[in-house]
Amino acid sequence: MPLVPRRRALGIGLGSVLGATLLSASGRPAPARAAGRANPDAVASARLAADYWQAQPQPYANNADWVNATFHSGEMALYRLTGDPRYREFTLGWAEQNGFALIPSSSAPFHADHETAGQAYLDLYQTSPDGPHPAYLAAVRQRLDAQLSSGSADYWTWVDALHMAMPVFVRMAAQDSRPDYLDYAHSSYLYTRDQCGGPGLWDPARSLWWRDAGFLHTDTYWSRGNGWALADLAKVLGALPPGDPNRAGYAADMRAMAAALKPLQSEDGYWPADLIRPDRYPGPETSGTAFFTYGLAWGVNHGVLPAAVYRPVVERAWQWVAHTALQPSGLLGWVQGTGAKPADNYPWTASSTAAFGVGAFLLAATEVAVLDS
């Protein structure tokens, strides 16, 4: 089903629908699926990776960036699964050190990377044991309102931006009963998908995403770039109001991506950095693989993807990422460093790691953990 432009006037009753999304009556998330029924291998692997990362030096100052925010998104998913307060406290320490602020930028005031921290701030706000703290979301509200007031929805010019910013808008729409945030998120998604650079970054012939306009009409489909997009779709579908008119379109994009990714998975379970040309940069890559594992597992768990088709794909991917990429020490290896294309930082090794890769792994683990639930 194609995505449809959202009407500016959304009709009577949307506020009540927004209030019925994933939040409980207290404004905090509904209780997580019981960890007691979770896959013990996935839980143990997630704890191993998270505990290893927590033990490393943490340069808190001025690091509310996408690299760390992606880690803390996974860390908070692990907290919701296990209820272990150590994981929430670690993320809270990071947020407090950064004053619950978003990175400013005069040259790109609405840069999506600088909004990623809003996902973790929302997690902390909605899970506070002593009730929500308004200060946690003050900077997020200010940034989102300013972005809407700019009158432009063409800031997301690279595929990573979908994951960095779109879940913040969609979740804040539910949190604050703000349908205009949903309007803006959808308009921005359509711009990235169908207009950026002319034809948009979505390649309908392959059901994959080009990273940015510099790769349009090439055969370069970056694994992590597509992983960002699939993770975004999982997070957005999980936060949308049940009656949202664009749910079906987002789900259709997830199904199309899943069908495209399935034959590109290696026999060992991982995906290469260059999805359709694995010969260019041979070997495994963890961050894209982990994001695909997360998105596909989420789709199976929530009925968007058929389990008979995609559960085996998820299980092969998990076997590789949890038992090859994850070292006995807890270090998550084979992570391509920061970059914008398959070639960047190649070759990476079993000791190559990064915060965002660990975050992707934790997101994957928390969905794999409940495949049987």
Side-chain angles (χ1 to χ4, degrees), residues 220-310:
T220 298
Y221 302 89
W222 185 33
S223 179
R224 188 162 72 237
N226 279 270
W228 289 127
L230 190 63
D232 167 64
L233 289 169
K235 289 182 175 183
V236 166
L237 285 166
L240 278 178
D244 187 273
N246 291 298
R247 174 179 291 277
Y250 298 139
D253 282 357
M254 173 177 276
R255 285 189 288 269
M257 284 194 72
L261 290 167
K262 183 175 182 290
L264 301 177
Q265 185 181 32
S266 73
E267 291 184 4
D268 290 334
Y270 64 81
W271 281 267
D274 198 324
L275 286 171
I276 68 168
R277 289 292 306 272
D279 55 303
R280 286 174 172 158
Y281 311 101
E285 200 287 305
T286 295
S287 62
T289 297
F291 277 128
F292 294 148
T293 307
Y294 164 62
L296 296 174
W298 189 97
V300 169
N301 283 333
H302 294 82
V304 178
L305 301 176
V309 176
Y310 290 104

Side-chain angles (χ1 to χ4, degrees), residues 204-225:
R206 290 196 178 272
S207 296
L208 295 171
W209 298 79
W210 288 296
R211 196 272 177 175
D212 55 53
F215 294 95
L216 292 175
H217 306 301
T218 72
D219 63 354
T220 298
Y221 302 89
W222 185 33
S223 179
R224 188 162 72 237

Side-chain angles (χ1 to χ4, degrees), residues 47-240:
R47 285 184 177 275
L48 181 64
D51 293 349
Y52 175 89
W53 196 262
Q54 284 197 17
Q56 307 311 302
Q58 300 293 328
Y60 282 122
N62 302 317
N63 76 337
D65 60 6
W66 67 269
V67 172
N68 293 287
T70 301
F71 167 79
H72 287 288
S73 176
E75 182 92 331
M76 288 300 294
L78 180 58
Y79 166 71
R80 289 192 298 272
L81 178 70
T82 64
D84 188 333
R86 293 185 303 115
Y87 300 124
R88 186 181 187 279
E89 289 167 3
F90 189 70
T91 294
L92 180 60
W94 165 79
E96 288 177 338
Q97 289 286 339
N98 290 287
F100 288 89
L102 300 180
I103 295 175
S105 173
S106 57
S107 60
F110 306 120
H111 198 290
D113 287 356
H114 300 165
E115 297 169 353
T116 319
Q119 298 185 43
Y121 298 165
L122 273 157
D123 290 334
L124 291 166
Y125 179 90
Q126 294 170 348
T127 60
S128 177
D130 55 350
H133 293 256
Y136 288 7
L137 298 181
V140 178
R141 289 190 177 102
Q142 182 179 24
R143 182 71 57 86
L144 268 56
D145 286 343
Q147 191 161 340
L148 262 68
S149 297
S150 75
S152 297
D154 58 358
Y155 297 110
W156 301 348
T157 58
W158 69 110
V159 72
D160 318 28
L162 296 178
H163 170 272
M164 307 309 180
M166 190 174 180
V168 180
F169 278 91
V170 173
R171 292 181 62 189
M172 284 296 293
Q175 176 61 51
D176 287 358
S177 296
R178 289 284 301 269
D180 53 340
Y181 287 165
L182 285 179
D183 286 346
Y184 186 86
H186 182 63
S187 296
S188 297
Y189 181 82
L190 289 182
Y191 171 78
T192 307
R193 185 186 191 274
D194 301 327
Q195 300 170 43
C196 182
L201 302 186
W202 171 259
D203 180 0
R206 290 196 178 272
S207 296
L208 295 171
W209 298 79
W210 288 296
R211 196 272 177 175
D212 55 53
F215 294 95
L216 292 175
H217 306 301
T218 72
D219 63 354
T220 298
Y221 302 89
W222 185 33
S223 179
R224 188 162 72 237
N226 279 270
W228 289 127
L230 190 63
D232 167 64
L233 289 169
K235 289 182 175 183
V236 166
L237 285 166
L240 278 178

